[in-house]
C-alpha cells in the first residue's frame, strides 16, 4: 500500500464499504406483509425502524465525511494505516445489523437497553478507529506536507470529542434508550446544520 | 470536501449508492416458492412487482443521469453541498423499500393508495434535493467557469419541472394508484426516448 | 454525458452494477437450516443452486469483459448511448433473480422449462443491448479514432454471434432445461479457455 | 483488457466485489426475533456467528491487501489474467455463504466438520487463484519494469505459504472445527499485527 494510485485504491475501497453499508440499511428494514387495509397504520406503528434508518444513514454519511476529511490530508498510506482502516470499515459494515436490532427492539421495554447499548457501542468503536487513524498518521509523518500543525491538532481534538460524545451516549443508553437515540439525532442534525466545521477543513501552512 | 480529488470522491461515492440501490431492487422482489406446475402463472400474476421493478430501475437510472449532469458542471463541492448530496442519497437508498411496498400492495384495493403515495412522495423528495443542490451551487458560485448563465437557468427550470411533475403524480396517486404508476412509466419512457434534452447538456460560454 | 470524466463515470457506475449483481448471486442462494447431521447431504442435493451460481457468476463476468472491450473503444458517450447502457444494466441487475429461479426449479419437472426460458431469455436480452450499444457507437462515430474499421466489424460479428447463440440456447430450453444449462456452461468454459478472442482486442489503424 | 485505464477498471471492479462481499457478511448474519427480555442472552448465545463474521471480514480484508499488493506490481493485464482474476473474485463472492454456514453449524456437533471444511476449502481455493495470478504475471512478463526479481520471488514464496497454511487448516477442520477457526483467527491477528511483511512491499530494482 503506497501513495498515489495505492492511496486512491484505499479511498475507492472504503467508499464502496460506506456506500454499501448505507444502502443495505434499507434491506434490513423489517416489514412483514400486513392484513388488508392496515398498511397505513403499520407504517406509522413502525416509526422506530424508520427513525433508526434515518439516524444511521445520516450518521454513516457523516462518518464518511470524516473519513474523507482524514484521508484527503494523508499523503502516504502504509500497511499499519491500512489495517486501522480495515478495522474502521469492519465497524461501519456492522452498523446495518445494529441498526436493525435498534429498530426491532427500541419499543420493547425489556430489550431496548441492550439493543441501544449495542448500537451506541458500535458507533463508539467506529469513532475510536477513526481517531486512531488520524493519530497514527500524524505521529508517523504520513500527512500531506501542506497540512499545518494547527489544523492537524484541531482535527484531532474534534475527533476525540466525537469519541467522548458517543461514549457518553452509550452510558445514557443504560438509563434511557430513547434519550440515547435522541442524542444521536441531535448530533446528526447539529453536524449537518453546522456543516462548516473548521476542524474538517484543511488548513494550509503559510 | 474540496475540488479535484475531493469532488471525484463524492462522485464515486454517489455512483456507489445509486448502483447499489438499483441492484438491490431485485433482492426485494418478493417471490415465494410456488406449488409444482404453477411457476408460469405465478410469474404472470406477479406482474405488479416486475412493473414496479422496471419503473424504479429506469427512474433511478434517470436520476443518476441528472446527478451526473448536475455534478459534471460543479467545480467546487463545499460542505453544505455535500450535506445536500447526502440527503439526496438517503432518498435514493430508500427507494428499494418503497418499490417493494408498491409491488406488494398495488393490487390490494385497500392499501394501494398508501403504498403509491409513499412511492411517489419519496420520488418527489428526491427531486427536491436534486433541485436544491443545483440552486445552491448556482447561488454560491460553485459552477465550472465555462457553464453559461443561460445553460444554468435552463437546467434549473428543467429540475423544477420534475419536482412539479412528481408532486402532481403523488396527488394523482390519492385518486388512482394505477394512473400514478402509468404516469411514472410514461415519464421514464418520454425521458429515455427524448434523451437529448438540451437542459442536460452543458452549454459553454462564448 | 460527455467524454473524458463523463465517460469514466459511466464506466465506474457500470462496474458497480456488474460487481453488485455478481456478489448478490450468493445472497439469493436458497438454503434452509437442515436437520442435525444432514448438512453434507443437503449441500450435495443442492447441486443445481451451486451450478446456477457458478454459471451465472462466470457469464456475468464474461459480459463485464465484453462491456469493458466495448467501452474501452468508445471515446464519446452521448445520451442515447447512456440510455442503451442503462437498459443493459437493467438486464444484468435482473440476473440474480433469474439465477435464483433457475436453481430453485431446475429439478422440478413441471416448472424447469419456465425457469430456464426466463433465465436464457434474460441473457438473450442482455446480449441484444450490448450489441445495440456497439452498433450505435459505430454508426454515430463515437469510437476512438485509432479503432480500425476491420476491428469494429469483427467485434460486431462477435457480439451478434453471442445474441444468436443465446437465442438458440433459449429455444433449447423449451425442449431440455438441462441441455440449455449445459450449453451455457460450455459457452462459459469455451470463452474462458479461448480467452484470447481477437474480436475483443482493439485493432489499431495503421 | 489493456494497461492504463483498462488495468484501473479491473482494480475498481475487483474492489467492488471485495467491498460488497465484506459488507454482505452482515446481511447473512442469522438472527431471529427473540422472546421479550432474551435479547442479551440471544446475542451471547450467538457468539459463533459474530466470531465467524469477524474472522471472515478480516480475512477478506487481508485478501484485498494481497490483491492490492499483487495488482499494484502488474503493469499489463491480458485476457487470461483477467480470467484468473474472475475466478478469484468468484471464490471471494462465495464467502458470505460459507461464513453463514460456519456461524450456523459450528456449534452443532454433527455438522460442524462439514461446515468448517467448506469454509476452509473455499479459502484454500481463493489463495490458489491469487497465487496463480502472480505466477502467471511473472512468467508472462506483465510486471512493472521496476519490480526486482528478488521481490517477485519473495511475494511468490509468501503467497504459496498462504496456500499451504490454508490447506493445512482445512485438514485440521476434519479433526477439530474449533481448532480450524482458531487457526484462521490467529493467522488474521498475526498478519494484522505483523503488517509490515516485506513480501508485500514492492522492491524497486536498483
Amino acid at each position: 500500500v503506497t501513495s498515489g494510485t495505492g492511496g486512491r485504491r484505499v479511498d475507492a475501497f472504503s467508499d464502496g464499504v460506506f456506500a454499501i453499508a448505507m444502502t443495505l440499511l434499507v434491506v434490513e428494514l423489517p416489514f412483514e406483509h400486513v392484513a388488508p387495509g392496515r398498511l397505513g397504520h403499520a407504517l406509522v406503528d413502525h416509526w422506530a425502524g424508520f427513525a433508526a434508518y434515518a439516524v444511521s444513514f445520516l450518521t454513516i454519511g457523516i462518518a464518511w465525511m470524516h473519513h474523507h476529511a482524514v484521508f484527503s490530508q494523508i499523503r502516504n498510506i502504509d500497511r499499519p494505516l491500512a489495517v486501522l482502516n480495515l478495522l474502521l470499515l469492519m465497524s461501519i459494515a456492522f452498523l446495518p445489523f445494529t441498526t436493525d436490532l435498534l429498530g426491532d427492539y427500541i419499543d420493547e421495554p425489556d430489550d431496548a437497553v441492550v439493543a441501544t447499548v449495542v448500537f451506541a457501542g458500535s458507533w463508539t468503536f467506529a469513532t475510536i478507529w477513526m481517531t486512531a487513524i488520524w493519530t497514527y498518521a500524524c505521529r508517523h509523518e504520513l500527512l500531506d506536507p501542506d497540512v499545518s500543525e494547527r489544523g492537524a491538532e484541531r482535527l484531532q481534538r474534534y475527533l476525540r470529542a466525537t469519541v467522548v460524545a458517543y461514549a457518553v451516549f452509550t452510558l445514557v443508553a443504560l438509563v434511557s434508550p430513547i434519550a440515547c437515540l435522541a442524542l444521536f439525532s441531535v448530533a446528526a442534525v447539529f453536524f449537518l446544520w453546522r456543516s462548516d466545521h473548521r476542524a474538517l477543513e484543511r488548513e494550509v501552512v503559510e
Side-chain angles (χ1 to χ4, degrees), chain A residues 119-171:
Chain A
F119 176 83
S122 303
W123 267 115
T124 310
F125 268 98
T127 50
I128 287 173
W129 295 124
M130 189 82 87
T131 311
I133 287 169
W134 186 245
T135 305
Y136 179 89
C138 291
R139 290 209 185 138
H140 291 74
E141 299 186 355
L142 303 171
L143 302 190
D144 239 18
D146 61 346
V147 174
S148 74
E149 212 173 306
R150 218 175 114 207
E153 278 170 13
R154 192 189 289 139
L155 182 49
Q156 194 148 39
R157 278 197 305 275
Y158 174 82
L159 290 171
R160 281 177 185 164
T162 63
V163 174
V164 171
Y166 285 10
V168 168
F169 295 179
T170 310
L171 292 176

Side-chain angles (χ1 to χ4, degrees), chain A residues 54-66:
Chain A
V55 170
S56 262
F57 192 98
L58 293 176
T59 312
I60 299 182
I62 291 166
W64 177 77
M65 287 185 192
H66 291 165

Side-chain angles (χ1 to χ4, degrees), chain A residues 1-16 67 71 77 85 89:
Chain A
V1 188
T2 54
S3 61
T5 313
R8 271 184 268 142
R9 228 187 123 179
V10 167
D11 285 358
F13 178 65
S14 306
D15 284 356
H67 191 270
F71 275 84
I77 297 172
N85 189 46
L89 294 180

Side-chain angles (χ1 to χ4, degrees), chain A residues 1-204:
Chain A
V1 188
T2 54
S3 61
T5 313
R8 271 184 268 142
R9 228 187 123 179
V10 167
D11 285 358
F13 178 65
S14 306
D15 284 356
V17 172
F18 275 96
I20 299 157
M22 287 164 84
T23 322
L24 280 182
L25 290 173
V26 85
V27 172
E28 300 276 338
L29 264 184
F31 203 73
E32 313 272 302
H33 202 90
V34 299
R38 300 292 306 163
L39 182 58
H41 291 94
L43 288 170
V44 172
D45 283 357
H46 207 61
W47 69 272
F50 296 114
Y53 169 78
V55 170
S56 262
F57 192 98
L58 293 176
T59 312
I60 299 182
I62 291 166
W64 177 77
M65 287 185 192
H66 291 165
H67 191 270
H68 189 132
V70 163
F71 275 84
S72 72
Q73 301 186 46
I74 292 177
R75 166 164 285 189
N76 293 301
I77 297 172
D78 64 6
R79 199 159 290 277
L81 199 63
V83 168
L84 286 174
N85 189 46
L86 191 62
L87 293 167
L88 169 64
L89 294 180
M90 187 162 78
S91 312
I92 297 295
F94 197 60
L95 293 167
F97 179 80
T98 59
T99 302
D100 179 30
L101 218 61
L102 186 66
D104 252 20
Y105 292 97
I106 187 105
D107 44 8
E108 297 203 0
D110 295 328
D111 295 309
V113 166
V114 172
T116 320
V117 166
V118 168
F119 176 83
S122 303
W123 267 115
T124 310
F125 268 98
T127 50
I128 287 173
W129 295 124
M130 189 82 87
T131 311
I133 287 169
W134 186 245
T135 305
Y136 179 89
C138 291
R139 290 209 185 138
H140 291 74
E141 299 186 355
L142 303 171
L143 302 190
D144 239 18
D146 61 346
V147 174
S148 74
E149 212 173 306
R150 218 175 114 207
E153 278 170 13
R154 192 189 289 139
L155 182 49
Q156 194 148 39
R157 278 197 305 275
Y158 174 82
L159 290 171
R160 281 177 185 164
T162 63
V163 174
V164 171
Y166 285 10
V168 168
F169 295 179
T170 310
L171 292 176
V172 168
L174 291 169
V175 183
S176 163
I178 291 287
C180 172
L181 188 55
L183 283 169
F184 269 100
S185 313
V186 167
V189 170
F190 175 79
F191 177 88
L192 295 176
W193 178 65
R194 282 237 19 220
S195 62
D196 58 341
H197 282 301
R198 287 195 61 204
L200 297 180
E201 303 300 336
R202 182 194 259 260
E203 190 167 329
V204 178

